Amino acid sequence: MEIKVLNTENQEVGTVKISDDIAKAPIKSHAIWETVKWQLAKRRRGTHSTKTRAEVRGGGRKPWPQKHTGRARQGSIRAPQWVGGGVVFGPKPRDYSYNLPKKVRKVALRSVVAGKLGDGSFIVVEDFAFDQPKTKQAVEFLKKLGLENEKVLIVVSEFDENTWKSFRNLPNVKLLEIEGLNVYDMLCFDKCVFFKSTLPKLEERLSR
């Protein structure tokens, strides 16, 4: 599959080929769902915590005698049925991450890339860099590509501080290195802009 390569002025300056194994890969929706679930699970902090009756302060003394009061027997004012008592089976700090096979993750990423290629949301541009951090130049770049009102993921081959600082104040834009390309981010953005130099690494990563 051939894709046109654009420059920062939105002019076509050539084409680049992407393997049909990637461009025409079947869309495996279940693999995508599994991968997104796995990614979001890894991001959970898992710091939620409640106290059991053993951890709540107070309640060491039996509130009243066992018998002859006419009231239900109670052993502690910090038992779960009391206001201010402990919580039964409440959440405790835990790690939500789990393992997902690499093959599933690769299939999911290949599916998302194929989907973006199919609907025209995959854009390739010549590599560029800003001489100094300038958000105005970043906005001009997006306007010339017609992406000023879109959520845009820009995938670069390597981190450049000036380019990153130029885009970081734009709320609908995210800059990402090709090594960090993932299913969730690609799904969250309407358009994906790839630097031309990232494509060999993308093909290598998605090769069967």
Side-chain angles (χ1 to χ4, degrees):
M1 180 178 183
E2 282 196 350
I3 304 176
K4 60 183 179 181
V5 180
L6 306 174
N7 60 15
T8 54
E9 302 295 322
N10 199 18
Q11 299 168 337
E12 186 175 343
V13 292
T15 59
V16 65
K17 288 185 178 181
I18 292 184
S19 169
D20 285 343
D21 288 341
I22 297 172
K24 297 181 180 179
I27 308 299
K28 302 287 188 179
S29 57
H30 187 71
I32 295 173
W33 176 80
E34 284 283 4
T35 304
V36 170
K37 185 163 71 82
W38 169 74
Q39 283 189 243
L40 295 181
K42 287 202 305 176
R43 296 184 183 187
R44 294 186 67 173
R45 295 180 65 187
T47 54
H48 42 36
S49 182
T50 55
K51 291 184 178 181
T52 66
R53 63 182 292 170
E55 297 166 326
V56 178
R57 183 180 177 86
R61 180 174 63 87
K62 189 173 176 65
W64 51 75
Q66 180 84 346
K67 298 180 179 294
H68 311 303
T69 64
R71 290 186 288 185
R73 53 194 174 190
Q74 301 291 332
S76 169
I77 62 171
R78 291 297 175 252
Q81 71 270 21
W82 287 69
V83 173
V87 177
V88 181
F89 304 130
K92 286 292 185 181
R94 57 167 289 195
D95 180 12
Y96 282 90
S97 65
Y98 60 92
N99 292 325
L100 186 70
K102 287 183 179 179
K103 286 186 178 180
V104 176
R105 287 159 15 202
K106 184 181 288 187
V107 166
L109 186 58
R110 190 187 297 120
S111 297
V112 174
V113 170
K116 292 289 185 182
L117 285 166
D119 63 16
S121 302
F122 192 103
I123 301 168
V124 180
V125 298
E126 278 193 319
D127 292 27
F128 66 87
F130 296 121
D131 296 329
Q132 57 181 343
K134 207 73 174 176
T135 303
K136 185 177 179 180
Q137 290 181 348
V139 172
E140 283 297 317
F141 166 73
L142 294 174
K143 281 184 177 179
K144 287 177 180 177
L145 289 181
L147 303 176
E148 67 273 18
N149 296 320
E150 303 275 5
K151 293 182 68 178
V152 182
L153 177 68
I154 301 176
V155 184
V156 299
S157 55
E158 57 184 20
F159 178 79
D160 177 72
E161 188 171 0
N162 289 341
T163 305
W164 174 70
K165 286 183 176 179
S166 299
F167 283 103
R168 69 177 175 179
N169 288 331
L170 301 178
N172 293 327
V173 180
K174 181 174 182 177
L175 205 70
L176 192 66
E177 286 188 85
I178 184 64
E179 284 80 7
L181 186 65
N182 62 85
V183 171
Y184 182 72
D185 278 334
M186 288 194 72
L187 291 176
C188 284
F189 291 87
D190 303 320
K191 304 289 183 181
C192 296
V193 177
F194 283 77
F195 278 21
K196 184 180 177 181
S197 61
T198 64
L199 297 185
K201 294 180 181 178
L202 179 65
E203 290 210 25
E204 180 183 349
R205 183 170 168 183
L206 297 180
S207 60
R208 294 187 184 275

